[in-house]
């Protein structure tokens, strides 16, 4: 990533786009958003992970780190391409175009529709489209074959578990599937694939739909001088094709097929009991034996999809918080050394320069920062972290997230991230002392409103020396806590916010355009894709 280029953009996940049935998609509204970004003088669009979401609907817990999320596929586009029958995509009355995403309802309705569309495509697609599909299968076989097999088996045994009222971890591949399939026995998997050919072919076709729509959208963004910033979690989900097909690369008991430990972080800003993510931990010694080939393939795949990659929880490469499997929270764990810079040296040797953003939030040591800076990866600053409930003192001026303390060359500043409250929500919910500190630092009068403070924080981010500035769309319009994307360590209400279809107005565009002009962030990105 070119750290000398001053630029700016907006954070908005695909699911939050308006207008389409049930959930945001890669359709017309996504193109409208790119047009709005371009008109606003922005050159970055940051999204959350793009993989198929599992239980809890989190994009950070996907069934595959390589596959695309089928729920993001735009059905109208399939019809316009001649790949689906219009009568098959009509949503039922309970699927709404406004309001928060009801993931359960969307999955219940949309997944069968997508498989019906896939069957239509396989039977009726034009020869040139089928040729492109064949090329896609060949080029992506390294992950696609395993993902399709896993998904086919999972569909069958999830339905069986549901009938038998077996839920949660007990219905996962390592506890519920037949042992030969759970162990990924080659003969058993091959037999399943032969007996479920049509199902597996439909799963692959759905992934082709996603790839075609995403590639077209990314090309449109790049044509409009906008780079897409993608996001990958450092860890993968236990219930995933990644773990099932590569169990030897993770810390599992080979007899029981259970994790021996899991990932998380110790108590921090977000949670007094830490965050118990539950993800399997890598066996880094095993990964090193073949030159970290799985990670090389993962980064290569991401650079096929996006221009810049943000790696979540970067500090886990220096050392990771190892929690015994079955622990009720993340308090009792230990720091264990990770692969460090060696991993990225290998990836860089295989792929060239890496346009990577390192998420360096939380408990960050000098060792973590040394790896980041030695790799040349920019880190993150969060303006909300710069203000607290303490009265301002001389020591307060040294808070690292305050704009005057940034290192010009290797920082990306955010007002907040997907894990923070919206800035308006943060300012509304914090103490009066905190709001006083914000107003004092920004030179605002005592009566300044939450909206005024939010706008002033955005201006401070743009004015900072940080190379890049990314603002969540919620903050551009000072939307409150109801628009928060995620509350760490909670489930059930996260990831569901969808923007109002009237939100992208000229007022918000004009503000960003003016700030970019004032603070030299209207430089255009290079025409070539940094990931290719």
């Amino acid at each position: 990533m070119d750290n000398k280029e001053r630029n700016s953009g907006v954070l908005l996940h695909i699911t939050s786009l308006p207008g389409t049935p049930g959930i945001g998609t890669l359709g017309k509204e996504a193109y409208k958003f790119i047009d709005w970004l371009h008109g606003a003088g922005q050159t970055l669009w940051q999204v959350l992970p793009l993989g198929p979401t599992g239980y809890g609907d989190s994009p950070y817990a996907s069934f595959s780190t390589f596959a695309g999320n089928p729920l993001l596929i735009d059905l109208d586009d399939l019809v316009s391409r001649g790949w689906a029958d219009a009568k098959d995509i009509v949503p039922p009355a309970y699927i709404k175009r406004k309001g928060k995403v009801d993931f359960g309802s969307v999955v219940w309705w949309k997944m069968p529709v997508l498989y019906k569309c896939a069957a239509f495509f396989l039977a009726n697609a034009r020869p040139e489209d089928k040729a492109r599909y064949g090329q896609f299968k060949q080029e992506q076989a390294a992950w696609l074959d395993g993902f399709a097999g896993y998904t086919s088996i999972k569909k069958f045994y999830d339905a069986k578990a549901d009938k038998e009222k077996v839920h949660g971890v007990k219905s996962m591949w390592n506890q519920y599937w037949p042992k030969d399939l759970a162990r990924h026995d080659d003969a058993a998997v091959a037999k399943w694939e032969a007996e479920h050919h049509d199902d597996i072919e439909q799963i692959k076709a759905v992934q082709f739909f996603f790839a075609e729509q995403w590639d077209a959208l990314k090309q449109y963004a790049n044509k409009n001088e906008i780079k897409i910033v993608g996001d990958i979690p450092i860890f993968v989900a236990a219930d995933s094709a990644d773990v099932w097909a590569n169990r030897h690369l993770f810390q599992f008991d080979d007899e029981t097929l259970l994790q021996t430990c899991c990932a998380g972080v110790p108590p921090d800003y977000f949670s007094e009991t830490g965050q118990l993510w539950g993800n399997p931990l890598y066996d880094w010694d095993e990964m090193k034996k073949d030159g970290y080939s799985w990670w090389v393939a993962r980064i290569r795949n991401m650079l096929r999809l996006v221009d810049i990659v943000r790696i979540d929880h970067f500090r886990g490469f220096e050392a990771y918080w190892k929690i015994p499997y079955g622990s009720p929270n993340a308090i009792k764990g230990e720091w264990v050394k990770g692969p460090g810079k060696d991993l990225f040296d290998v990836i860089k040797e295989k792929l060239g320069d890496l346009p990577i953003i390192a998420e360096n939030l939380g408990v960050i040591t000098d060792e973590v920062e040394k790896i980041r800076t030695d790799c040349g990866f920019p880190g993150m600053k969060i303006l909300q972290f710069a203000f607290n409930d303490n009265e301002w003192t001389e020591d307060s001026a040294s808070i690292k997230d305050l704009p005057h303390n940034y290192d010009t060359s290797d920082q990306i500043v955010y007002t907040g991230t997907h894990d923070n409250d919206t800035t308006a929500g943060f300012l509304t919910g914090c103490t009066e002392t905190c709001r006083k500190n914000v107003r004092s630092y920004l030179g605002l009068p005592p009566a300044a409103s939450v909206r005024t403070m939010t706008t002033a924080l955005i201006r401070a981010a743009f004015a900072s020396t940080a190379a890049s500035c990314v603002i969540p769309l919620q903050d551009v319009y000072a939307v409150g806590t109801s628009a928060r994307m995620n509350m760490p360590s909670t489930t059930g209400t996260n990831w569901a916010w969808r923007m109002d279809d009237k939100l992208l107005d000229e007022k918000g565009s004009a503000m960003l355009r003016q700030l970019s002009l004032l603070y030299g962030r209207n430089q255009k990105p290079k025409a070539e894709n940094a990931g290719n």
Side-chain angles (χ1 to χ4, degrees):
M1 185 175 179
D2 186 354
N3 296 333
K4 296 179 181 179
E5 177 185 285
R6 278 178 67 81
N7 53 25
S8 60
V10 172
L11 168 60
L12 179 76
H13 194 41
I14 309 295
T15 56
S16 297
L17 289 165
T20 46
I23 192 169
T25 72
L26 303 174
K28 291 180 180 179
E29 295 295 335
Y31 288 82
K32 288 181 183 178
F33 181 64
I34 289 172
D35 291 340
W36 182 86
L37 281 175
H38 183 70
Q42 303 309 292
T43 56
L44 301 174
W45 177 9
Q46 182 168 330
V47 297
L48 303 185
L50 297 168
T53 52
Y55 305 111
D57 311 312
S58 171
Y60 293 87
S62 172
F63 292 132
S64 169
T65 192
F66 293 88
N69 186 350
L71 300 182
L72 304 183
I73 294 170
D74 189 78
L75 299 176
D76 289 329
D77 178 76
L78 297 182
V79 173
S80 70
R81 292 171 184 256
W83 296 355
D85 191 326
K87 70 176 186 297
D88 292 335
I89 70 167
V90 179
Y94 63 82
I95 299 295
K96 307 298 182 183
R97 292 177 181 267
K98 294 184 177 183
K100 292 193 173 184
V101 180
D102 182 345
F103 284 96
S105 295
V106 171
V107 170
W108 183 261
W109 159 67
K110 194 166 184 176
M111 289 309 300
V113 169
L114 285 167
Y115 290 128
K116 186 176 289 188
C117 294
F120 182 94
F121 168 83
L122 293 168
N124 301 290
R126 295 170 298 180
E128 58 266 33
D129 291 337
K130 286 190 175 180
R132 282 212 314 280
Y133 171 55
Q135 182 179 3
F136 168 77
K137 288 195 296 180
Q138 183 178 3
E139 291 176 350
Q140 306 304 322
W143 66 266
L144 183 62
D145 291 347
F147 172 75
Y150 165 84
T151 304
S152 177
I153 301 168
K154 180 176 173 60
K155 282 169 60 183
F156 179 87
Y157 284 103
D158 276 2
K160 184 174 183 291
D162 191 54
K163 289 181 180 179
E164 296 176 356
K165 301 187 185 305
V166 178
H167 302 293
V169 294
K170 291 184 178 179
S171 65
M172 279 176 48
W173 60 271
N174 56 346
Q175 297 191 48
Y176 191 73
W177 294 9
K179 285 297 181 183
D180 56 351
L181 289 175
R183 290 186 177 279
H184 201 278
D185 177 79
D186 289 344
V189 172
K191 182 173 184 292
W192 181 278
E193 291 174 343
E195 294 174 349
H196 298 82
H197 174 269
D198 290 349
D199 184 43
I200 286 174
E201 202 66 19
Q202 289 174 17
I203 293 167
K204 291 181 178 180
V206 169
Q207 284 301 306
F208 174 68
F209 295 164
F210 177 91
E212 287 286 292
Q213 290 188 357
W214 178 262
D215 288 349
L217 183 68
K218 181 179 181 297
Q219 288 176 22
Y220 187 77
N222 292 163
K223 181 181 177 181
N224 281 274
E225 302 174 305
I226 292 169
K227 290 182 177 181
I228 294 183
V229 182
D231 198 336
I232 59 173
I234 183 176
F235 299 117
V236 299
D239 192 5
S240 69
D242 308 302
V243 175
W244 173 67
N246 304 280
R247 193 180 71 253
H248 67 291
L249 299 178
F250 299 85
Q251 297 187 37
F252 271 72
D253 185 295
D254 200 46
E255 291 299 319
T256 65
L257 302 185
L258 298 178
Q259 297 171 231
T260 58
C261 50
C262 56
V265 292
D268 61 7
Y269 170 89
F270 292 108
S271 174
E272 293 182 355
T273 58
Q275 298 178 44
L276 179 62
W277 297 334
N279 307 73
L281 292 169
Y282 299 110
D283 186 334
W284 287 114
D285 291 337
E286 189 68 25
M287 284 192 156
K288 187 173 183 177
K289 289 179 182 178
D290 70 350
Y292 304 108
S293 62
W294 185 88
W295 264 98
V296 172
R298 189 184 193 192
I299 298 297
R300 179 186 289 114
N301 183 67
M302 277 301 296
L303 293 178
R304 175 180 65 89
L305 296 172
V306 302
D307 300 293
I308 301 166
V309 179
R310 189 195 86 112
I311 299 181
D312 195 54
H313 195 61
F314 183 81
R315 74 101 55 244
F317 295 110
E318 190 279 323
Y320 55 88
W321 190 243
K322 181 178 180 179
I323 306 164
Y325 184 69
S327 298
N329 56 49
I331 293 177
K332 293 184 178 179
E334 60 174 335
W335 288 111
V336 179
K337 287 293 183 182
K341 185 172 176 285
D342 180 56
L343 170 66
F344 296 101
D345 288 341
V346 172
I347 297 174
K348 186 174 182 179
E349 180 183 346
K350 298 290 179 61
L351 303 181
D353 289 339
L354 301 175
I356 284 176
I357 299 169
E359 184 269 288
N360 58 338
L361 308 177
V363 181
I364 301 300
T365 64
D366 291 341
E367 291 83 358
V368 176
E369 285 296 271
K370 186 176 190 312
I371 293 173
R372 181 182 68 78
T373 55
D374 286 351
C375 289
F377 300 156
M380 295 172 56
K381 296 294 185 183
I382 309 299
L383 279 182
Q384 288 186 27
F385 291 171
F387 302 98
N388 54 46
D389 298 337
N390 301 323
E391 291 286 348
W392 199 271
T393 67
E394 289 183 4
D395 293 336
S396 301
S398 63
I399 295 174
K400 64 180 182 179
D401 287 284
L402 288 169
H404 65 262
N405 290 322
Y406 296 171
D407 183 322
T408 306
S409 63
D410 69 345
Q411 302 295 341
I412 297 179
V413 59
Y414 298 75
T415 45
T417 72
H418 62 274
D419 279 336
N420 294 97
D421 199 346
T422 67
T423 297
F426 164 75
L427 292 169
T428 300
C430 72
T431 65
E432 179 54 33
T433 299
C434 179
R435 286 190 290 271
K436 177 184 175 183
N437 291 340
V438 172
R439 289 191 293 261
S440 296
Y441 186 82
L442 299 174
L444 298 175
S449 67
V450 164
R451 176 177 288 276
T452 298
M453 285 189 283
T454 299
T455 301
L457 282 169
I458 294 173
R459 178 181 287 270
F462 271 82
S464 75
T465 58
S468 298
C469 167
V470 177
I471 308 298
L473 185 72
Q474 296 96 311
D475 290 354
V476 175
Y477 292 95
V479 186
T481 298
S482 62
R484 181 171 186 164
M485 279 298 278
N486 181 47
M487 174 76 76
S489 299
T490 68
T491 58
T493 60
N494 296 319
W495 316 110
W497 178 71
R498 292 188 80 184
M499 59 180 286
D500 188 283
D501 57 4
K502 298 179 182 178
L503 206 57
L504 298 181
D505 61 13
E506 173 56 25
K507 184 177 181 180
S509 175
M511 178 184 74
L512 295 179
R513 187 167 58 247
Q514 178 69 1
L515 291 176
S516 291
L517 179 64
L518 284 174
Y519 299 114
R521 297 190 182 275
N522 56 346
Q523 301 176 45
K524 302 303 182 185
K526 296 176 182 177
E528 71 272 12
N529 177 2
N532 290 339

